[in-house]
Amino acid sequence: MLQTTKRPDSPVSIIGAGIAGAWQALLFAQAGHAVTLHERGDEAMTDATSHWAGGMLAPYCEAEVAEPIISRLGLRSLDIWRRELPDTPFNGSLVVAHPRERNDFERFARMTEGHQRLDAAGLAALEPSLEGRFRDALFFPAEGHVEPRRVLPKLHERIRAAGGTIRFCSDVTADDLTNLNPKGIVIDCRGISARDEQGELRGVKGEMILIETSEVQLARPVRLIHPRWPLYVIPREDGLFMLGATSIEAEDTGVSVRSALELLGAAYTVHPAFGEARILEFGSGLRPAYPDNLPRIGIRDGKISVNGLYRHGFLIAPALAELTLAYVQRGQIDNEVMQCL
């Protein structure tokens, strides 16, 4: 049985200011805890996995390949995103396919819910830049997306506004914090760096390309059915688009030629004008994953770890923070997510 010996109003120290740690810090600070968020990197967060994320809030689309727990956590997270950051874009998302991927497109439609099927005219009305490009599409109107490099600073601001403290360039361990304050709660959100204590974690590389063009306008992410992995074009502000994202069982941080060709080629087939876009950046991040690719809130010796968010970090982090808070404050346990380590 999972137990905590800490008081429900104990001070809380969180390690890792990426998307998982930021949401933990925000909800705990709002609940009245004295929160300190530690981040070993600087405020730019360029070394964090979150820096290279797509920011998709797409629980319905993810149901095509993910376990039901991801959909449950993702749907709950949508409500929390709307509550805490009401300016979050919820313009929906689109799924399209070329004729050769028709069978996979129909399978995607069968495996998912919450979508409307658009014909070519309906797609053109929704996204004029895609007029004549595809004969139909799946539209998921309840889904959203965020720009990680803009939304993380917003979350950090909200943490400070709620009374929390953020310490960048603070390379601490859970033992350091426990020794400093034995009565406090420590929540470890270090991602892949937590392998020093959780050897079963592995890194799954997700690659991305950032491009710029004024020739294409999109109001929502567009997923293109692909034989190896789902590829998507995510609109950013100021004429920027993110192309992603691969899922490669490798732990280097480079972008392969093959991946670059596939990402750029996919963008070109979505719209030929992307062929004239300017490439601004190549990059990749290592997503932390357990063998089952499912998230885990672990309890060990009175410490809490939140990890294994895999490729769903921005989608499920708010709901995981809510579960952690419910456990600390009321002893509430979610048996699908929480484990004694």
Side-chain angles (χ1 to χ4, degrees), residues 40 47 56 83 91-93 140 217 239 251 310 324:
R40 69 178 181 180
D47 293 330
M56 301 279 284
R83 183 188 76 204
N91 300 326
S93 60
F140 294 79
Q217 286 80 42
E251 296 198 1
Y310 185 40
T324 308

Side-chain angles (χ1 to χ4, degrees), residues 58-223:
Y60 294 102
C61 283
E62 289 301 320
E64 187 251 345
V65 292
E67 296 290 333
I69 180 62
I70 301 302
S71 296
R72 175 168 73 87
L73 294 172
L75 288 170
R76 176 56 190 152
S77 290
L78 295 190
D79 293 335
I80 303 174
W81 276 105
R82 290 188 180 99
R83 183 188 76 204
E84 299 297 336
L85 291 172
D87 60 343
T88 299
F90 281 94
N91 300 326
S93 60
L94 286 167
V95 176
V96 297
H98 295 298
R100 64 180 177 273
E101 260 70 67
R102 193 69 203 174
N103 289 338
D104 290 335
F105 178 84
E106 294 298 339
R107 178 186 178 278
F108 195 103
R110 292 193 301 270
M111 296 292 292
T112 57
E113 299 177 348
H115 58 73
Q116 306 166 10
R117 190 181 288 263
L118 304 178
D119 60 14
L123 174 60
L126 199 65
E127 291 287 4
S129 286
L130 298 183
E131 182 175 6
R133 302 299 307 157
F134 301 92
R135 77 181 199 187
D136 58 1
L138 301 176
F139 176 46
F140 294 79
E143 297 188 334
H145 69 286
V146 295
E147 186 171 347
R149 298 178 188 183
R150 292 180 183 266
V151 82
L152 266 180
K154 289 182 180 180
L155 287 172
H156 294 160
E157 289 174 9
R158 293 290 305 279
I159 292 165
R160 294 187 182 100
T165 299
I166 305 179
R167 294 180 180 170
F168 291 100
C169 302
S170 177
D171 192 1
V172 295
T173 67
D175 288 339
D176 292 336
L177 297 171
T178 298
N179 293 335
L180 186 65
N181 188 352
K183 294 183 179 181
I185 297 167
V186 177
I187 305 176
D188 186 342
C189 300
R190 290 180 294 152
I192 196 65
S193 297
R195 278 195 299 192
D196 57 353
E197 296 185 3
Q198 301 184 57
E200 68 271 44
L201 280 169
R202 76 187 195 283
V204 180
K205 183 167 69 169
E207 300 158 311
M208 58 81 77
I209 301 175
L210 191 66
I211 63 175
E212 180 184 36
T213 180
S214 61
E215 300 300 314
V216 182
Q217 286 80 42
L218 295 175
R220 54 193 53 81
V222 177
R223 291 185 182 231

Side-chain angles (χ1 to χ4, degrees), residues 30-43:
Q30 290 179 336
H33 291 265
V35 168
T36 303
L37 178 59
H38 297 267
E39 168 57 44
R40 69 178 181 180
D42 60 25
E43 195 163 359

Side-chain angles (χ1 to χ4, degrees), residues 210-283:
L210 191 66
I211 63 175
E212 180 184 36
T213 180
S214 61
E215 300 300 314
V216 182
Q217 286 80 42
L218 295 175
R220 54 193 53 81
V222 177
R223 291 185 182 231
L224 178 67
I225 299 295
H226 185 276
R228 282 214 298 154
W229 45 56
L231 296 171
Y232 44 78
V233 179
I234 306 175
R236 303 294 197 214
E237 295 184 9
D238 304 320
L240 303 183
F241 295 86
M242 176 185 167
L243 312 179
T246 57
S247 291
I248 299 174
E249 294 290 337
E251 296 198 1
D252 66 276
T253 56
V255 177
S256 70
V257 170
R258 179 179 183 179
S259 295
L261 289 172
E262 289 186 343
L263 291 171
L264 293 170
Y268 180 80
T269 63
V270 169
H271 198 294
F274 282 127
E276 303 301 320
R278 186 162 64 101
I279 297 174
L280 301 182
E281 189 175 356
F282 288 91

